[in-house]
Amino acid sequence: MNPLLHKVYMPTGALGYYGFNGGGPASASQKNYLRALLRRHAGDPTAEAIRDYMNQLRDDPEEVIDVASVVPAIEWLKRQT
């Protein structure tokens, strides 16, 4: 994991818990909101690390973009506004 993502996904030093299966697949609206926030923060190194991580998840046929991947990123990006 990119060290820049630690403050997004492990702000207290431990991963957040989103229940069984990471809260399930992220909804289309959650993913669209994240895309909008990433566009707003384009060029920010942490935002670009989040974008790269989401692209890796999307491109891996064994992975799914789940709530546990999207919600912490949304929350972190909203705090940066």
Side-chain angles (χ1 to χ4, degrees), residues 43-70:
D44 177 80
T46 303
E48 296 304 323
I50 293 168
R51 181 187 315 280
D52 290 343
Y53 177 58
M54 292 298 148
N55 287 338
Q56 288 173 8
L57 291 177
R58 183 194 66 215
D59 294 341
D60 187 340
E62 295 184 11
E63 291 289 343
V64 64
I65 298 177
D66 57 16
V67 171
S69 300
V70 172

PDB file of all heavy atoms in Angstrom, residues 43-70:
ATOM      1  N   GLY A  43      -4.090  16.496  -8.818  1.00  0.00           N
ATOM      2  CA  GLY A  43      -2.759  17.036  -8.597  1.00  0.00           C
ATOM      3  C   GLY A  43      -2.274  16.858  -7.168  1.00  0.00           C
ATOM      4  O   GLY A  43      -1.066  16.869  -6.921  1.00  0.00           O
ATOM      5  N   ASP A  44      -3.183  16.691  -6.228  1.00  0.00           N
ATOM      6  CA  ASP A  44      -2.789  16.440  -4.841  1.00  0.00           C
ATOM      7  C   ASP A  44      -2.202  15.031  -4.762  1.00  0.00           C
ATOM      8  O   ASP A  44      -2.818  14.076  -5.258  1.00  0.00           O
ATOM      9  CB  ASP A  44      -4.009  16.555  -3.925  1.00  0.00           C
ATOM     10  CG  ASP A  44      -3.653  16.216  -2.487  1.00  0.00           C
ATOM     11  OD1 ASP A  44      -3.108  17.092  -1.806  1.00  0.00           O
ATOM     12  OD2 ASP A  44      -3.917  15.061  -2.068  1.00  0.00           O
ATOM     13  N   PRO A  45      -1.028  14.873  -4.175  1.00  0.00           N
ATOM     14  CA  PRO A  45      -0.390  13.546  -4.171  1.00  0.00           C
ATOM     15  C   PRO A  45      -1.240  12.452  -3.523  1.00  0.00           C
ATOM     16  O   PRO A  45      -1.286  11.323  -4.023  1.00  0.00           O
ATOM     17  CB  PRO A  45       0.900  13.773  -3.376  1.00  0.00           C
ATOM     18  CG  PRO A  45       1.167  15.231  -3.478  1.00  0.00           C
ATOM     19  CD  PRO A  45      -0.163  15.900  -3.582  1.00  0.00           C
ATOM     20  N   THR A  46      -1.931  12.774  -2.438  1.00  0.00           N
ATOM     21  CA  THR A  46      -2.756  11.755  -1.786  1.00  0.00           C
ATOM     22  C   THR A  46      -3.971  11.420  -2.644  1.00  0.00           C
ATOM     23  O   THR A  46      -4.352  10.248  -2.765  1.00  0.00           O
ATOM     24  CB  THR A  46      -3.185  12.209  -0.380  1.00  0.00           C
ATOM     25  OG1 THR A  46      -2.003  12.498   0.384  1.00  0.00           O
ATOM     26  CG2 THR A  46      -3.989  11.144   0.328  1.00  0.00           C
ATOM     27  N   ALA A  47      -4.579  12.426  -3.254  1.00  0.00           N
ATOM     28  CA  ALA A  47      -5.719  12.171  -4.141  1.00  0.00           C
ATOM     29  C   ALA A  47      -5.287  11.302  -5.318  1.00  0.00           C
ATOM     30  O   ALA A  47      -6.028  10.397  -5.728  1.00  0.00           O
ATOM     31  CB  ALA A  47      -6.322  13.488  -4.630  1.00  0.00           C
ATOM     32  N   GLU A  48      -4.113  11.549  -5.844  1.00  0.00           N
ATOM     33  CA  GLU A  48      -3.620  10.732  -6.961  1.00  0.00           C
ATOM     34  C   GLU A  48      -3.324   9.305  -6.499  1.00  0.00           C
ATOM     35  O   GLU A  48      -3.533   8.356  -7.252  1.00  0.00           O
ATOM     36  CB  GLU A  48      -2.399  11.380  -7.601  1.00  0.00           C
ATOM     37  CG  GLU A  48      -2.691  12.730  -8.253  1.00  0.00           C
ATOM     38  CD  GLU A  48      -3.798  12.685  -9.298  1.00  0.00           C
ATOM     39  OE1 GLU A  48      -3.905  11.685 -10.036  1.00  0.00           O
ATOM     40  OE2 GLU A  48      -4.576  13.655  -9.375  1.00  0.00           O
ATOM     41  N   ALA A  49      -2.861   9.145  -5.257  1.00  0.00           N
ATOM     42  CA  ALA A  49      -2.630   7.803  -4.713  1.00  0.00           C
ATOM     43  C   ALA A  49      -3.960   7.069  -4.559  1.00  0.00           C
ATOM     44  O   ALA A  49      -4.051   5.860  -4.837  1.00  0.00           O
ATOM     45  CB  ALA A  49      -1.906   7.892  -3.374  1.00  0.00           C
ATOM     46  N   ILE A  50      -5.011   7.776  -4.123  1.00  0.00           N
ATOM     47  CA  ILE A  50      -6.342   7.182  -4.022  1.00  0.00           C
ATOM     48  C   ILE A  50      -6.820   6.763  -5.411  1.00  0.00           C
ATOM     49  O   ILE A  50      -7.344   5.658  -5.593  1.00  0.00           O
ATOM     50  CB  ILE A  50      -7.347   8.162  -3.374  1.00  0.00           C
ATOM     51  CG1 ILE A  50      -6.988   8.414  -1.906  1.00  0.00           C
ATOM     52  CG2 ILE A  50      -8.780   7.643  -3.510  1.00  0.00           C
ATOM     53  CD1 ILE A  50      -7.737   9.573  -1.275  1.00  0.00           C
ATOM     54  N   ARG A  51      -6.642   7.638  -6.390  1.00  0.00           N
ATOM     55  CA  ARG A  51      -7.055   7.320  -7.769  1.00  0.00           C
ATOM     56  C   ARG A  51      -6.331   6.063  -8.270  1.00  0.00           C
ATOM     57  O   ARG A  51      -6.941   5.166  -8.841  1.00  0.00           O
ATOM     58  CB  ARG A  51      -6.761   8.497  -8.694  1.00  0.00           C
ATOM     59  CG  ARG A  51      -7.185   8.278 -10.136  1.00  0.00           C
ATOM     60  CD  ARG A  51      -6.728   9.391 -11.065  1.00  0.00           C
ATOM     61  NE  ARG A  51      -6.931  10.726 -10.554  1.00  0.00           N
ATOM     62  CZ  ARG A  51      -8.091  11.398 -10.577  1.00  0.00           C
ATOM     63  NH1 ARG A  51      -9.157  10.816 -11.083  1.00  0.00           N
ATOM     64  NH2 ARG A  51      -8.170  12.618 -10.102  1.00  0.00           N
ATOM     65  N   ASP A  52      -5.024   5.992  -8.035  1.00  0.00           N
ATOM     66  CA  ASP A  52      -4.255   4.815  -8.463  1.00  0.00           C
ATOM     67  C   ASP A  52      -4.755   3.551  -7.779  1.00  0.00           C
ATOM     68  O   ASP A  52      -4.883   2.499  -8.413  1.00  0.00           O
ATOM     69  CB  ASP A  52      -2.767   5.005  -8.157  1.00  0.00           C
ATOM     70  CG  ASP A  52      -2.115   6.060  -9.029  1.00  0.00           C
ATOM     71  OD1 ASP A  52      -2.693   6.432 -10.076  1.00  0.00           O
ATOM     72  OD2 ASP A  52      -1.019   6.532  -8.656  1.00  0.00           O
ATOM     73  N   TYR A  53      -5.066   3.648  -6.490  1.00  0.00           N
ATOM     74  CA  TYR A  53      -5.567   2.496  -5.741  1.00  0.00           C
ATOM     75  C   TYR A  53      -6.919   2.035  -6.296  1.00  0.00           C
ATOM     76  O   TYR A  53      -7.140   0.839  -6.499  1.00  0.00           O
ATOM     77  CB  TYR A  53      -5.666   2.859  -4.261  1.00  0.00           C
ATOM     78  CG  TYR A  53      -6.233   1.774  -3.391  1.00  0.00           C
ATOM     79  CD1 TYR A  53      -5.628   0.523  -3.324  1.00  0.00           C
ATOM     80  CD2 TYR A  53      -7.368   1.996  -2.628  1.00  0.00           C
ATOM     81  CE1 TYR A  53      -6.158  -0.484  -2.517  1.00  0.00           C
ATOM     82  CE2 TYR A  53      -7.902   1.002  -1.824  1.00  0.00           C
ATOM     83  CZ  TYR A  53      -7.288  -0.231  -1.764  1.00  0.00           C
ATOM     84  OH  TYR A  53      -7.809  -1.221  -0.973  1.00  0.00           O
ATOM     85  N   MET A  54      -7.805   2.974  -6.573  1.00  0.00           N
ATOM     86  CA  MET A  54      -9.112   2.615  -7.126  1.00  0.00           C
ATOM     87  C   MET A  54      -8.966   1.985  -8.512  1.00  0.00           C
ATOM     88  O   MET A  54      -9.669   1.029  -8.847  1.00  0.00           O
ATOM     89  CB  MET A  54     -10.034   3.836  -7.210  1.00  0.00           C
ATOM     90  CG  MET A  54     -10.467   4.381  -5.888  1.00  0.00           C
ATOM     91  SD  MET A  54     -11.419   3.184  -4.950  1.00  0.00           S
ATOM     92  CE  MET A  54     -10.947   3.640  -3.308  1.00  0.00           C
ATOM     93  N   ASN A  55      -8.044   2.500  -9.310  1.00  0.00           N
ATOM     94  CA  ASN A  55      -7.797   1.919 -10.636  1.00  0.00           C
ATOM     95  C   ASN A  55      -7.263   0.495 -10.521  1.00  0.00           C
ATOM     96  O   ASN A  55      -7.632  -0.375 -11.312  1.00  0.00           O
ATOM     97  CB  ASN A  55      -6.845   2.797 -11.449  1.00  0.00           C
ATOM     98  CG  ASN A  55      -7.508   4.069 -11.920  1.00  0.00           C
ATOM     99  OD1 ASN A  55      -8.727   4.158 -12.005  1.00  0.00           O
ATOM    100  ND2 ASN A  55      -6.708   5.077 -12.210  1.00  0.00           N
ATOM    101  N   GLN A  56      -6.395   0.258  -9.527  1.00  0.00           N
ATOM    102  CA  GLN A  56      -5.883  -1.098  -9.310  1.00  0.00           C
ATOM    103  C   GLN A  56      -7.019  -2.046  -8.951  1.00  0.00           C
ATOM    104  O   GLN A  56      -7.076  -3.166  -9.448  1.00  0.00           O
ATOM    105  CB  GLN A  56      -4.836  -1.102  -8.203  1.00  0.00           C
ATOM    106  CG  GLN A  56      -3.527  -0.481  -8.572  1.00  0.00           C
ATOM    107  CD  GLN A  56      -2.598  -0.355  -7.380  1.00  0.00           C
ATOM    108  OE1 GLN A  56      -2.872  -0.859  -6.295  1.00  0.00           O
ATOM    109  NE2 GLN A  56      -1.493   0.351  -7.566  1.00  0.00           N
ATOM    110  N   LEU A  57      -7.911  -1.594  -8.062  1.00  0.00           N
ATOM    111  CA  LEU A  57      -9.057  -2.429  -7.685  1.00  0.00           C
ATOM    112  C   LEU A  57      -9.940  -2.720  -8.893  1.00  0.00           C
ATOM    113  O   LEU A  57     -10.384  -3.858  -9.100  1.00  0.00           O
ATOM    114  CB  LEU A  57      -9.887  -1.751  -6.595  1.00  0.00           C
ATOM    115  CG  LEU A  57      -9.258  -1.627  -5.219  1.00  0.00           C
ATOM    116  CD1 LEU A  57     -10.189  -0.855  -4.293  1.00  0.00           C
ATOM    117  CD2 LEU A  57      -8.934  -2.995  -4.640  1.00  0.00           C
ATOM    118  N   ARG A  58     -10.193  -1.690  -9.688  1.00  0.00           N
ATOM    119  CA  ARG A  58     -11.054  -1.847 -10.862  1.00  0.00           C
ATOM    120  C   ARG A  58     -10.458  -2.833 -11.861  1.00  0.00           C
ATOM    121  O   ARG A  58     -11.173  -3.637 -12.459  1.00  0.00           O
ATOM    122  CB  ARG A  58     -11.265  -0.487 -11.526  1.00  0.00           C
ATOM    123  CG  ARG A  58     -12.210  -0.542 -12.718  1.00  0.00           C
ATOM    124  CD  ARG A  58     -12.144   0.700 -13.556  1.00  0.00           C
ATOM    125  NE  ARG A  58     -10.817   0.785 -14.168  1.00  0.00           N
ATOM    126  CZ  ARG A  58     -10.161   1.909 -14.388  1.00  0.00           C
ATOM    127  NH1 ARG A  58     -10.692   3.066 -14.067  1.00  0.00           N
ATOM    128  NH2 ARG A  58      -8.973   1.906 -14.941  1.00  0.00           N
ATOM    129  N   ASP A  59      -9.149  -2.776 -12.035  1.00  0.00           N
ATOM    130  CA  ASP A  59      -8.483  -3.599 -13.050  1.00  0.00           C
ATOM    131  C   ASP A  59      -8.223  -5.034 -12.603  1.00  0.00           C
ATOM    132  O   ASP A  59      -7.913  -5.883 -13.433  1.00  0.00           O
ATOM    133  CB  ASP A  59      -7.173  -2.946 -13.472  1.00  0.00           C
ATOM    134  CG  ASP A  59      -7.392  -1.622 -14.191  1.00  0.00           C
ATOM    135  OD1 ASP A  59      -8.523  -1.385 -14.682  1.00  0.00           O
ATOM    136  OD2 ASP A  59      -6.443  -0.810 -14.234  1.00  0.00           O
ATOM    137  N   ASP A  60      -8.346  -5.303 -11.303  1.00  0.00           N
ATOM    138  CA  ASP A  60      -8.096  -6.652 -10.782  1.00  0.00           C
ATOM    139  C   ASP A  60      -9.401  -7.444 -10.785  1.00  0.00           C
ATOM    140  O   ASP A  60     -10.336  -7.108 -10.062  1.00  0.00           O
ATOM    141  CB  ASP A  60      -7.540  -6.565  -9.364  1.00  0.00           C
ATOM    142  CG  ASP A  60      -7.101  -7.911  -8.822  1.00  0.00           C
ATOM    143  OD1 ASP A  60      -7.541  -8.956  -9.348  1.00  0.00           O
ATOM    144  OD2 ASP A  60      -6.307  -7.910  -7.868  1.00  0.00           O
ATOM    145  N   PRO A  61      -9.479  -8.511 -11.574  1.00  0.00           N
ATOM    146  CA  PRO A  61     -10.736  -9.266 -11.663  1.00  0.00           C
ATOM    147  C   PRO A  61     -11.125  -9.958 -10.354  1.00  0.00           C
ATOM    148  O   PRO A  61     -12.276 -10.346 -10.182  1.00  0.00           O
ATOM    149  CB  PRO A  61     -10.471 -10.288 -12.770  1.00  0.00           C
ATOM    150  CG  PRO A  61      -9.000 -10.372 -12.893  1.00  0.00           C
ATOM    151  CD  PRO A  61      -8.437  -9.060 -12.434  1.00  0.00           C
ATOM    152  N   GLU A  62     -10.193 -10.091  -9.426  1.00  0.00           N
ATOM    153  CA  GLU A  62     -10.491 -10.746  -8.146  1.00  0.00           C
ATOM    154  C   GLU A  62     -10.887  -9.752  -7.055  1.00  0.00           C
ATOM    155  O   GLU A  62     -11.197 -10.158  -5.941  1.00  0.00           O
ATOM    156  CB  GLU A  62      -9.299 -11.575  -7.699  1.00  0.00           C
ATOM    157  CG  GLU A  62      -9.010 -12.735  -8.638  1.00  0.00           C
ATOM    158  CD  GLU A  62      -7.886 -13.607  -8.148  1.00  0.00           C
ATOM    159  OE1 GLU A  62      -7.465 -13.449  -6.992  1.00  0.00           O
ATOM    160  OE2 GLU A  62      -7.427 -14.450  -8.926  1.00  0.00           O
ATOM    161  N   GLU A  63     -10.852  -8.471  -7.354  1.00  0.00           N
ATOM    162  CA  GLU A  63     -11.180  -7.439  -6.374  1.00  0.00           C
ATOM    163  C   GLU A  63     -12.510  -6.795  -6.718  1.00  0.00           C
ATOM    164  O   GLU A  63     -13.007  -6.902  -7.828  1.00  0.00           O
ATOM    165  CB  GLU A  63     -10.092  -6.359  -6.332  1.00  0.00           C
ATOM    166  CG  GLU A  63      -8.780  -6.821  -5.769  1.00  0.00           C
ATOM    167  CD  GLU A  63      -8.810  -7.061  -4.278  1.00  0.00           C
ATOM    168  OE1 GLU A  63      -9.751  -6.582  -3.591  1.00  0.00           O
ATOM    169  OE2 GLU A  63      -7.897  -7.737  -3.789  1.00  0.00           O
ATOM    170  N   VAL A  64     -13.063  -6.094  -5.741  1.00  0.00           N
ATOM    171  CA  VAL A  64     -14.277  -5.321  -5.941  1.00  0.00           C
ATOM    172  C   VAL A  64     -14.083  -3.988  -5.237  1.00  0.00           C
ATOM    173  O   VAL A  64     -13.407  -3.915  -4.212  1.00  0.00           O
ATOM    174  CB  VAL A  64     -15.519  -6.073  -5.396  1.00  0.00           C
ATOM    175  CG1 VAL A  64     -15.446  -6.252  -3.898  1.00  0.00           C
ATOM    176  CG2 VAL A  64     -16.786  -5.363  -5.780  1.00  0.00           C
ATOM    177  N   ILE A  65     -14.608  -2.942  -5.809  1.00  0.00           N
ATOM    178  CA  ILE A  65     -14.559  -1.644  -5.143  1.00  0.00           C
ATOM    179  C   ILE A  65     -15.695  -1.645  -4.137  1.00  0.00           C
ATOM    180  O   ILE A  65     -16.859  -1.558  -4.499  1.00  0.00           O
ATOM    181  CB  ILE A  65     -14.671  -0.485  -6.152  1.00  0.00           C
ATOM    182  CG1 ILE A  65     -13.487  -0.537  -7.117  1.00  0.00           C
ATOM    183  CG2 ILE A  65     -14.740   0.853  -5.422  1.00  0.00           C
ATOM    184  CD1 ILE A  65     -13.523   0.506  -8.207  1.00  0.00           C
ATOM    185  N   ASP A  66     -15.322  -1.787  -2.862  1.00  0.00           N
ATOM    186  CA  ASP A  66     -16.328  -1.924  -1.829  1.00  0.00           C
ATOM    187  C   ASP A  66     -16.450  -0.654  -0.984  1.00  0.00           C
ATOM    188  O   ASP A  66     -15.682   0.293  -1.146  1.00  0.00           O
ATOM    189  CB  ASP A  66     -16.046  -3.149  -0.953  1.00  0.00           C
ATOM    190  CG  ASP A  66     -14.679  -3.136  -0.310  1.00  0.00           C
ATOM    191  OD1 ASP A  66     -14.028  -2.069  -0.276  1.00  0.00           O
ATOM    192  OD2 ASP A  66     -14.253  -4.193   0.173  1.00  0.00           O
ATOM    193  N   VAL A  67     -17.426  -0.670  -0.098  1.00  0.00           N
ATOM    194  CA  VAL A  67     -17.689   0.478   0.768  1.00  0.00           C
ATOM    195  C   VAL A  67     -16.450   0.824   1.587  1.00  0.00           C
ATOM    196  O   VAL A  67     -16.121   1.999   1.763  1.00  0.00           O
ATOM    197  CB  VAL A  67     -18.907   0.181   1.683  1.00  0.00           C
ATOM    198  CG1 VAL A  67     -19.084   1.248   2.742  1.00  0.00           C
ATOM    199  CG2 VAL A  67     -20.166   0.039   0.842  1.00  0.00           C
ATOM    200  N   ALA A  68     -15.739  -0.196   2.066  1.00  0.00           N
ATOM    201  CA  ALA A  68     -14.550   0.030   2.883  1.00  0.00           C
ATOM    202  C   ALA A  68     -13.424   0.708   2.099  1.00  0.00           C
ATOM    203  O   ALA A  68     -12.532   1.311   2.696  1.00  0.00           O
ATOM    204  CB  ALA A  68     -14.061  -1.286   3.471  1.00  0.00           C
ATOM    205  N   SER A  69     -13.458   0.628   0.793  1.00  0.00           N
ATOM    206  CA  SER A  69     -12.458   1.300  -0.039  1.00  0.00           C
ATOM    207  C   SER A  69     -12.868   2.728  -0.375  1.00  0.00           C
ATOM    208  O   SER A  69     -12.017   3.602  -0.501  1.00  0.00           O
ATOM    209  CB  SER A  69     -12.254   0.531  -1.349  1.00  0.00           C
ATOM    210  OG  SER A  69     -11.814  -0.766  -1.103  1.00  0.00           O
ATOM    211  N   VAL A  70     -14.156   2.950  -0.531  1.00  0.00           N
ATOM    212  CA  VAL A  70     -14.653   4.240  -1.012  1.00  0.00           C
ATOM    213  C   VAL A  70     -14.924   5.243   0.119  1.00  0.00           C
ATOM    214  O   VAL A  70     -14.517   6.402   0.034  1.00  0.00           O
ATOM    215  CB  VAL A  70     -15.922   4.023  -1.866  1.00  0.00           C
ATOM    216  CG1 VAL A  70     -16.576   5.329  -2.233  1.00  0.00           C
ATOM    217  CG2 VAL A  70     -15.574   3.243  -3.120  1.00  0.00           C
TER     218      VAL A  70
END
